[in-house]
């Protein structure tokens, strides 16, 4: 019997970030910080006209209460924070940002 291997969020995060950089965009991995709850990465693109924070999560998981509070604080400062569970979801959210469908306080 062949068992399907579950996809790791870190794989999607790394692959998507490489795709992002390969397009000539900027991506910053938040490794360690003196404050907990920060999103995993910061993405910025002049050509796509978007900049945002992304919290990568496994499918069917949500940010912790501490992360949700930090996301609220970041959004209150006017930045966009998205939560992506897959590469597909990430790129769909990027397209929505480009179309103006996502603004700083619209993403929960």
């Amino acid at each position: 019997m062949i068992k399907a291997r579950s996809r790791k969020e870190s794989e999607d995060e790394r692959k998507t970030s490489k795709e992002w950089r390969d397009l000539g965009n900027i991506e910053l991995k938040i490794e360690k910080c003196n404050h907990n709850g920060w999103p995993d990465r910061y993405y910025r693109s002049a050509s796509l006209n978007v900049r945002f924070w992304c919290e990568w999560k496994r499918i069917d998981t949500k940010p912790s209460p501490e992360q949700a509070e930090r996301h609220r604080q970041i959004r209150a400062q006017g930045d966009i924070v998205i939560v992506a569970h897959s590469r597909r979801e990430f790129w769909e959210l990027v397209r929505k940002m480009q179309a103006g469908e996502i603004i700083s306080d619209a993403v929960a």
Side-chain angles (χ1 to χ4, degrees), residues 88-104:
R88 178 185 301 242
E89 183 178 20
F90 175 91
W91 290 110
E92 286 173 1
L93 291 168
V94 168
R95 283 190 285 281
K96 287 182 177 183
M97 281 184 265
Q98 286 179 284
E101 296 174 25
I102 295 177
I103 57 173
S104 63

Side-chain angles (χ1 to χ4, degrees), residues 26-40:
I26 295 172
E27 165 268 332
L28 174 66
K29 169 80 172 147
I30 308 301
E31 295 269 347
K32 297 190 182 208
C33 185
N34 62 348
H35 301 288
N36 293 330
W38 281 88
D40 297 307

Side-chain angles (χ1 to χ4, degrees), residues 13-73:
E13 181 180 346
R14 280 193 308 274
K15 287 179 182 179
T16 305
S17 293
K18 183 181 181 320
E19 291 170 349
W20 186 263
R21 289 188 309 273
D22 288 349
L23 291 171
N25 301 318
I26 295 172
E27 165 268 332
L28 174 66
K29 169 80 172 147
I30 308 301
E31 295 269 347
K32 297 190 182 208
C33 185
N34 62 348
H35 301 288
N36 293 330
W38 281 88
D40 297 307
R41 295 187 188 247
Y42 178 74
Y43 296 89
R44 184 174 183 128
S45 172
S47 62
L48 299 175
N49 194 31
V50 294
R51 62 180 185 268
F52 58 97
W53 297 88
C54 182
E55 179 68 43
W56 286 91
K57 288 292 184 191
R58 286 189 312 260
I59 293 174
D60 296 330
T61 61
K62 295 180 181 181
S64 69
E66 189 173 50
Q67 290 171 323
E69 175 59 20
R70 180 70 63 195
H71 296 178
R72 187 199 62 73
Q73 292 170 348

